[in-house]
Each structure stands twice: as structure tokens, then as C-alpha cells.
């Protein structure tokens, strides 16, 4: 899903808000009162840990975030923070729910998006509980590859080694070592310090 068209969001009263790199959009425990959709930049949802953060998801242009608490009427289970300078559409909850009721095609697309996210979370939990560090890393990379609409011989991984560590529960040193090992056996490539995954 490329997100809700901006014209439709504006029709229901959405505003385009700017966030600077590092700025929080919302905090864990806050009540959910708004729908958020990225227009430019990148947002991550994370839980802060004692030693490091755990990234729940990374969202870029056209992607929305934070809908389950909005629809389910419970507080945000994670923080949302801008990874880069970003522009984000913000729509009041009451208007978002009206938009869904009045646009069944948008509602259906939302259900598909949420189902895909749930499937990804299940795969990731399985990988973290039963698979090797290498498989955890490939599970995360393949999730981003499946979301991508880019073409070419290789998929360029859009997140850092630190972010991969934060999403898999591994130490960044382990990720660096395992990425090199995966490149040695052809599962990944490294070019100009960027991680590439062959299609």
C-alpha cells in the first residue's frame, strides 16, 4: 500500500507536520489520538532498553504507523522518533475513523497492511527464538526487501548495522561479524560499506 492519498487526507482535515531528526512524534504510554503517515523522511518505532533500544519498525514515504492503538483504543506500546528530518501527515482519530467508514477500499488496504505486519512480527519472533544470528539478520533484511519496489541486481539494505542489531536483539559487533560471514558465502554483498542482498 502506498498510503492514503494526500488529497484524501486533506479532505478529512489532515495537516502536514515537520519533525527534525531525533524528535519524538509520540511516547510509549501516550493515548492514541492521531493517524500518522510519512510523506518524507524515515520514522522508527522503538522501546528504550537499559543498554540499547529495540526497534519495532521503520517507516518511510507512504507508510503509516501507530494504527493498532488508534483503532484498538489502548496506549502506544512504543515510542515513535524521526530517524531523519521528516514530514508526516497527522489526522485526528475521529476523522480517520470516519475516513475508514466512508472509504471501504482504504479500510481493506489497512487490513492487508496490518496482516502483513503481524506476519512479519511472527516470523521475527520465531527467528529470534529458534534461529541463528545469521538467520535473524536475513529475516530482517528480507522483510525490507519484500517491502521494496526497487529493481536491479541487488537490494540495498536501507538500515544501519546498529538498527539491525536493535531489531534482532543482537550486539552490533555480532551483526558486523555475521554480515561479513554472510557476504563470504554469497548471501549478502558489501559495497562502499553498504549491505546488499541479491535478488
Amino acid at each position: 500500500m502506498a498510503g492514503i492519498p494526500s488529497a484524501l487526507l486533506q479532505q478529512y482535515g489532515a495537516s502536514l507536520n515537520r519533525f527534525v531528526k531525533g524528535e519524538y512524534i509520540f511516547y510509549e504510554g501516550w493515548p492514541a489520538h492521531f493517524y500518522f503517515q510519512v510523506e518524507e523522511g524515515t520514522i522508527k518505532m522503538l522501546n528504550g532498553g537499559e543498554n540499547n533500544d529495540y526497534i519495532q519498525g521503520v517507516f518511510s514515504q507512504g507508510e503509516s504507523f501507530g494504527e493498532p492503538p488508534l483503532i484498538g483504543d489502548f496506549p502506544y506500546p512504543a515510542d515513535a522518533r524521526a530517524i531523519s528530518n521528516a514530514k508526516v501527515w497527522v489526522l485526528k482519530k475521529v476523522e480517520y475513523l470516519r475516513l475508514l467508514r466512508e472509504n471501504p477500499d482504504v479500510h481493506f488496504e489497512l487490513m492487508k497492511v496490518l496482516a502483513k505486519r503481524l506476519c512479519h512480527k511472527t516470523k521475527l519472533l520465531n527467528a529470534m527464538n529458534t534461529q541463528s544470528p545469521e538467520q535473524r539478520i536475513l529475516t530482517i533484511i528480507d522483510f525490507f526487501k519484500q517491502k521494496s519496489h526497487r529493481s536491479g541486481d541487488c537490494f540495498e539494505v536501507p538500515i544501519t548495522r546498529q538498527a539491525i542489531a536493535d531489531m534482532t536483539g543482537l550486539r552490533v559487533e555480532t551483526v558486523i561479524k555475521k554480515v561479513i560471514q554472510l557476504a563470504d558465502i554469497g548471501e549478502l554483498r558489501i559495497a562502499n560499506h553498504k549491505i546488499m542482498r541479491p535478488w
Side-chain angles (χ1 to χ4, degrees):
M1 180 181 179
I4 301 173
S6 56
L8 186 60
L9 288 171
Q10 288 176 291
Q11 181 182 325
Y12 283 82
S15 61
L16 190 58
N17 293 13
R18 295 172 185 268
F19 296 90
V20 298
K21 180 179 179 179
E23 186 176 357
Y24 283 83
I25 293 92
F26 55 75
Y27 290 94
E28 181 179 350
W30 278 14
H33 293 308
F34 298 96
Y35 167 81
F36 299 98
Q37 181 175 300
V38 182
E39 177 69 15
E40 288 180 17
T42 309
I43 306 296
K44 65 180 175 181
M45 287 191 66
L46 68 149
N47 294 105
E50 199 169 297
N51 298 317
N52 60 346
D53 293 332
Y54 175 70
I55 297 177
Q56 297 279 353
V58 177
F59 305 92
S60 54
Q61 185 178 16
E63 293 183 308
S64 55
F65 58 95
E67 303 98 314
L70 188 65
I71 295 167
D73 218 12
F74 54 86
Y76 289 114
D79 301 332
R81 188 167 72 205
I83 295 176
S84 63
N85 291 343
K87 294 179 183 176
V88 177
W89 288 105
V90 180
L91 179 62
K92 289 180 181 177
K93 176 179 180 175
V94 65
E95 293 303 318
Y96 175 63
L97 296 177
R98 184 167 72 89
L99 186 157
L100 291 180
R101 283 193 300 272
E102 294 176 359
N103 297 273
D105 54 332
V106 174
H107 196 165
F108 181 68
E109 286 299 318
L110 170 67
M111 295 304 106
K112 284 167 52 178
V113 166
L114 294 179
K116 286 178 182 176
R117 287 185 195 165
L118 185 58
C119 180
H120 164 68
K121 292 276 187 187
T122 302
K123 287 180 179 177
L124 182 57
L125 281 172
N126 181 58
M128 289 179 70
N129 287 326
T130 64
Q131 296 179 350
S132 66
E134 293 87 350
Q135 277 308 120
R136 291 190 206 182
I137 292 165
L138 291 177
T139 298
I140 287 293
I141 289 172
D142 287 344
F143 169 70
F144 284 100
K145 188 171 84 166
Q146 289 166 7
K147 282 200 323 181
S148 173
H149 302 291
R150 300 171 191 166
S151 58
D153 294 337
C154 280
F155 167 70
E156 183 180 318
V157 179
I159 57 174
T160 64
R161 289 157 178 81
Q162 181 64 61
I164 293 170
D166 292 343
M167 295 181 86
T168 57
L170 298 169
R171 294 173 54 231
V172 69
E173 295 84 1
T174 302
V175 171
I176 292 167
K177 179 181 173 185
K178 296 302 181 182
V179 163
I180 293 168
Q181 291 175 355
L182 287 164
D184 288 343
I185 61 172
E187 290 286 350
L188 299 175
R189 293 182 194 163
I190 302 171
N192 297 322
H193 304 290
K194 295 188 180 297
I195 303 171
M196 316 289 283
R197 175 78 156 138
W199 287 105

